Amino acid sequence: MKKKRIIIICLIVLCVAAIAAALIHYFSYPERTKRALIDLGESQKFSQSEVEAAAQCVYNHFADSSDLYLKRLWYDEEESNRAVTSYMTTGSGAENGVNEANVIVLFTDYHTGMNYITGPNMDYEKFGWILVRDSETGEWRIVGSGVV
C-alpha cells in the first residue's frame, strides 16, 4: 500500500513537471514569435518572393532571440516608400552608395524581455526595419531600425 502511494505521488509530480515545462516552452519568446501575425501585402516595387525574403530576414532576427518576441510583421508599400526616401535623403543610404531599388522597409510590433538592452519588458509598435541588398539577386540584410 505504501509503495503504491509513493508511485502515485511520483507520477503526479512528474505530470505537474511535464505540464509546467510545456507551458514554459509554449510561452517562451521564440515560440511566441512563431505565432506572429504576418501581412506582406501587395507590392509594385518588389516581387512577392523579394518581400518574403526581406520578411524572413526580420523574422529570423526575432526567432534567434531569447529576449524579444515578434507580435506582428507587415509590409505597407506606401509607408515603406516614405521611409526609404527618408533613408536615402537624410539617412545613410545616399552616403553608402545604396541603390534605392535595393532598399525596403518592413514594420513590426514586438515585445522586449526583462534583459533587453533598450528597455526591459516594453512594447514597440510600428517599428521600422531598413533592409538593403547589393543587387536584385542579393540577400537582404538589416542595416537600421527604429520608429519610422
Side-chain angles (χ1 to χ4, degrees), residues 45 80-89 100 103-105:
K45 186 176 177 181
S80 179
N81 287 342
R82 274 196 282 274
V84 167
T85 299
S86 175
Y87 173 72
M88 295 301 296
T89 56
E100 188 172 333
V103 180
I104 189 171
V105 176

Side-chain angles (χ1 to χ4, degrees), residues 2-101:
K2 197 171 191 179
K3 278 187 178 183
K4 230 181 194 180
R5 181 178 276 166
I6 291 173
I7 291 172
I8 290 173
I9 290 172
C10 288
L11 288 174
I12 290 171
V13 169
L14 284 174
C15 287
V16 169
I19 291 169
L23 288 172
I24 288 169
H25 177 73
Y26 182 78
F27 289 109
S28 70
Y29 284 2
E31 286 300 310
R32 286 182 180 189
T33 290
K34 289 179 184 176
R35 296 187 299 273
L37 299 173
I38 298 175
D39 178 12
L40 301 181
E42 299 289 321
S43 177
Q44 300 299 312
K45 186 176 177 181
F46 300 105
S47 70
Q48 190 66 27
S49 63
E50 289 173 305
V51 176
E52 288 172 1
Q56 188 65 51
C57 183
V58 173
Y59 179 90
N60 289 345
H61 175 77
F62 288 91
D64 294 340
S65 174
S66 63
D67 213 30
L68 293 173
Y69 76 84
L70 182 63
K71 296 163 128 182
R72 182 175 169 225
L73 168 63
W74 74 95
Y75 175 70
D76 177 311
E77 189 153 270
E78 188 175 316
E79 289 290 322
S80 179
N81 287 342
R82 274 196 282 274
V84 167
T85 299
S86 175
Y87 173 72
M88 295 301 296
T89 56
T90 61
S92 58
E95 296 170 11
N96 294 335
V98 175
N99 180 343
E100 188 172 333

Side-chain angles (χ1 to χ4, degrees), residues 134-147:
D134 295 327
S135 67
E136 283 188 25
T137 58
E139 289 189 23
W140 292 107
R141 65 188 181 281
I142 298 171
V143 296
S145 61
V147 178

